[in-house]
Amino acid sequence: MDDKTQLILNFINESSSNMPYVLKDKLIRDGKELKYRFEFEEIKNSIDEFIEGNELNRFIVLPGIRGVGKTTLLYQAYYYLLNEKHILPDQIIYLSCDDLNNIVDCNIREIVDIYLNNQFNTQLRLLDKEIFLLIDESQYDKNWSMSGKIIYDRSEKIFMVFTGSSALNLEYNADAARRMFKRVVTPLNYNEHLKLKYDYSNINLGNSLVSLILNGEEQNAIKYENEMNRDLINNIKYNFNDWDEYLKYGGFPILARKINFRRLSTNIVDMIEKVVNTDMVAIKNFTFENQTNSNRILRYLALQNAGDLSQNNLAKYLKTSQANVKNILDILEKTHLIFSIEAYGTSSKRMKKTKKYYFATSSIRNALSENSGNTINDIKQYGGILLENHVASILFNFTQRGNDCFTLYYDANKKRNVDFILQRDFKNPVPIELGRGRKDKKQITHAINSYGADYGIIISDTTTNIEKHNNIIYVPPKTFSFL
């Protein structure tokens, strides 16, 4: 046995022997198990189907921004396999490619071959028992997608979950893409946040908000909103400043455990720097100069009004080309630190108009603003900017969660434009406006008439409950955050 093989086997064996302690440390808080993100149900159902003989979804890929709970999902899957499905420990391989990469180059396919040969004296094609492969930080294997494809093709006995930072989105093999089920792990909406922090969830409210947006049907949403408000009033643990704290610091599970907001912001900034300095650096031809430019672009965005960005001005500020600025923005989008939306209209109009850029969560913008020295002194104005980013991210994440028939746009009209337009297939668009301390309906009325919409939505902090007046629906920001 050569030294590399021995190192890999030692690493796997040590990881396996330590797992009971790791699970206890990572999944137990104050004597109670951590609550599940909703994505866990999808993993659990796929595991159950695989064990029952359905081999369709046996290659799951979970990319997502750092800190949203992907590693915890793997630990929970391991715990489920071990304690609920009674799978033997030697049939479960958990690896963090990040940790392994500090010892030897991480090659997932090679690791599986070595393990099967030494543990079961077999190989992929001859495998006769179920193996569960849980791989964290998969992007440290530069050929992770090809490794997954080969394993998938050579054995129907291996169930795989690959998680990793959003660098997983930067490059992957087209053939592998046809075999994998990819589910982006998005930042937490308010319902998911409440589930982790207070063990409270109202999934019915989220579902009824989908119906409200799709069809303008508000009755169920009003019913479940009343239920939610009543439940939170009666929950003695609930802090009524919680939603404001979520707007500034939320989206990540860590908010459920920490109350030191300065430290939370520092953690978010550290996460951003790791994405830029580690994930983006791994990209071919990404220079140190563009590393610096990426950090400057993010801080530039954080100090502008929501969505405002001139690539020409930014290129002059950075003393680089517009093409390079566009390249950096494209890569930042693929890491999920930011996202963009196009102008509503014809394809030629969308090409002519610049994109609007937002951060993945309002907490990222807030953390960068605090770290860079916030230039906006008006608290109300700053709150409005955070709210616009938050609503944009809630809507964008909604379109990402298997809702491919929806596209999010901004309204490029020069007069009386609304903030967002949601389009579903070829149906009439839904204009969405932020109220920001007022109940003015001129803009939404203009958008309804201009675009032939059946109704419009105003997300307004001037109402504490959902209201519908003619063809305009008013929704409080906290309620909308359940979407």
Side-chain angles (χ1 to χ4, degrees):
M1 184 183 297
D2 60 37
D3 290 344
K4 182 178 181 181
T5 298
Q6 189 62 62
L7 284 171
I8 289 172
L9 288 173
N10 289 345
F11 183 87
I12 294 173
N13 290 334
E14 183 178 358
S15 175
S16 180
S17 62
N18 288 337
M19 191 53 69
Y21 307 102
V22 171
L23 295 179
K24 183 177 179 181
D25 179 55
K26 300 297 184 181
L27 300 183
I28 305 296
R29 290 282 184 278
D30 301 322
K32 296 180 180 179
E33 285 185 33
L34 286 184
K35 302 304 173 187
Y36 299 116
R37 282 194 57 130
F38 294 128
E39 288 85 353
F40 177 73
E41 284 299 317
E42 291 183 347
I43 298 173
K44 182 172 100 49
N45 291 339
S46 295
I47 288 172
D48 292 346
E49 289 171 1
F50 174 73
I51 291 174
E52 290 167 6
N54 185 340
E55 296 146 359
L56 186 62
N57 290 329
R58 54 187 170 88
F59 184 11
I60 299 174
V61 177
L62 302 174
I65 194 169
R66 290 180 180 271
V68 291
K70 302 181 301 298
T71 301
T72 300
L73 283 169
L74 282 190
Y75 289 148
Q76 288 170 328
Y78 196 110
Y79 184 89
Y80 178 73
L81 286 165
L82 204 61
N83 294 283
E84 298 290 331
K85 308 308 288 186
H86 307 295
I87 303 297
L88 295 174
D90 67 356
Q91 291 176 247
I92 311 171
I93 306 172
Y94 169 83
L95 285 176
S96 170
C97 289
D98 187 5
D99 294 337
L100 181 59
N101 212 50
N102 292 326
I103 302 171
V104 296
D105 287 341
C106 185
N107 182 316
I108 296 168
R109 178 193 166 193
E110 181 183 18
I111 290 164
V112 172
D113 286 341
I114 289 171
Y115 184 76
L116 294 180
N117 182 49
N118 284 270
Q119 185 69 26
F120 300 112
N121 192 30
T122 190
Q123 53 186 290
L124 280 167
R125 292 191 188 280
L126 302 177
L127 188 61
D128 61 357
K129 62 174 62 181
E130 294 159 342
I131 298 294
F132 297 85
L133 191 59
L134 309 177
I135 306 294
D136 203 10
E137 301 289 3
S138 306
Q139 74 276 2
Y140 281 91
D141 175 356
K142 296 186 187 304
N143 296 309
W144 67 268
S145 64
M146 183 56 71
S147 292
K149 173 191 177 297
I150 291 170
I151 294 169
Y152 182 96
D153 287 345
R154 291 190 178 177
S155 176
E156 295 181 349
K157 291 292 186 179
I158 294 189
F159 179 93
M160 298 176 283
V161 183
F162 286 14
T163 75
S165 74
S166 294
L168 286 182
N169 280 330
L170 298 176
E171 291 182 15
Y172 56 84
N173 180 275
D175 287 335
R178 290 193 290 271
R179 292 157 173 79
M180 69 175 70
F181 170 70
K182 189 175 80 165
R183 171 77 147 84
V184 177
V185 184
T186 61
L188 303 171
N189 67 13
Y190 196 52
N191 192 35
E192 293 168 318
H193 163 80
L194 292 174
K195 187 173 189 287
L196 294 185
K197 188 170 183 178
Y198 298 104
D199 193 18
Y200 173 77
S201 174
N202 195 322
I203 193 69
N204 290 326
L205 177 55
N207 292 335
S208 63
L209 286 170
V210 174
S211 185
L212 182 148
I213 291 173
L214 287 182
N215 307 308
E217 296 173 356
E218 81 286 359
Q219 289 303 316
N220 278 338
I222 289 173
K223 171 186 172 182
Y224 292 117
E225 179 191 49
N226 289 335
E227 180 183 271
M228 176 270 293
N229 285 327
R230 185 170 60 250
D231 290 343
L232 292 183
I233 287 173
N234 292 327
N235 189 327
I236 60 173
K237 295 181 180 179
Y238 182 71
N239 173 7
F240 281 89
N241 293 321
D242 187 77
W243 190 83
D244 294 322
E245 294 170 359
Y246 166 78
L247 181 65
K248 287 185 177 181
Y249 306 101
F252 301 98
I254 195 171
L255 180 58
R257 305 197 303 268
K258 289 197 175 185
I259 57 172
N260 186 320
F261 298 126
R262 173 60 66 178
R263 190 173 298 166
L264 273 172
S265 284
T266 300
N267 287 344
I268 292 172
V269 171
D270 289 345
M271 175 274 293
I272 294 166
E273 290 178 351
K274 190 161 187 179
V275 170
V276 173
N277 299 335
T278 302
D279 296 344
M280 294 176 70
V281 168
I283 303 167
K284 186 178 180 181
N285 298 327
F286 197 79
T287 64
F288 177 77
E289 180 184 0
N290 277 344
Q291 216 178 313
T292 302
N293 286 335
S294 298
N295 281 312
R296 288 177 177 171
I297 285 173
L298 289 169
R299 281 161 174 77
Y300 183 92
L301 279 171
L303 298 176
Q304 306 302 306
N305 287 331
D308 288 353
L309 180 68
S310 165
Q311 292 189 20
N312 183 42
N313 291 342
L314 193 49
K316 290 178 181 177
Y317 168 70
L318 296 174
K319 297 179 181 178
T320 188
S321 67
Q322 285 192 57
N324 192 40
V325 168
K326 182 180 182 303
N327 178 54
I328 294 170
L329 288 168
D330 287 345
I331 295 172
L332 283 170
E333 280 198 75
K334 288 176 180 176
T335 67
H336 286 193
L337 279 175
I338 63 173
F339 63 91
S340 67
I341 57 176
E342 295 181 327
Y344 181 75
T346 62
S347 57
S348 60
K349 183 175 184 178
R350 294 201 300 271
M351 288 180 67
K352 290 176 184 176
K353 294 287 185 179
T354 59
K355 293 179 179 179
K356 280 195 171 187
Y357 289 87
Y358 295 91
F359 289 96
T361 68
S362 53
S363 60
I364 292 177
R365 182 185 181 110
N366 182 62
L368 285 171
S369 296
E370 289 184 354
N371 185 259
S372 305
N374 191 2
T375 57
I376 301 173
N377 295 320
D378 187 324
I379 295 176
K380 195 170 183 180
Q381 180 189 1
Y382 182 63
I385 289 171
L386 288 184
L387 181 60
E388 181 177 344
N389 196 124
H390 172 65
V391 170
S393 64
I394 289 289
L395 287 168
F396 180 75
N397 290 340
F398 169 68
T399 66
Q400 298 299 295
R401 292 195 301 266
N403 298 303
D404 297 332
C405 54
F406 292 93
T407 307
L408 180 65
Y409 301 98
Y410 73 88
D411 185 0
N413 275 344
K414 293 183 178 179
K415 292 183 179 180
R416 291 185 176 175
N417 60 314
V418 292
D419 292 292
F420 306 107
I421 295 174
L422 197 63
Q423 179 79 57
R424 184 191 183 198
D425 292 331
F426 301 103
K427 295 194 175 182
N428 291 342
V430 180
I432 300 173
E433 171 69 1
L434 301 184
R436 297 195 194 96
R438 55 189 169 78
K439 232 174 181 178
D440 188 351
K441 61 181 183 179
K442 290 179 182 176
Q443 287 168 283
I444 200 78
T445 301
H446 180 264
I448 290 171
N449 294 332
S450 295
Y451 300 122
D454 297 320
Y455 51 90
I457 297 170
I458 296 180
I459 301 168
S460 173
D461 56 6
T462 61
T463 179
T464 56
N465 297 94
I466 296 170
E467 301 174 12
K468 186 173 185 179
H469 301 290
N470 298 319
N471 58 352
I472 299 174
I473 305 170
Y474 297 86
V475 184
K478 183 171 82 172
T479 299
F480 192 79
S481 299
F482 276 74
L483 181 67

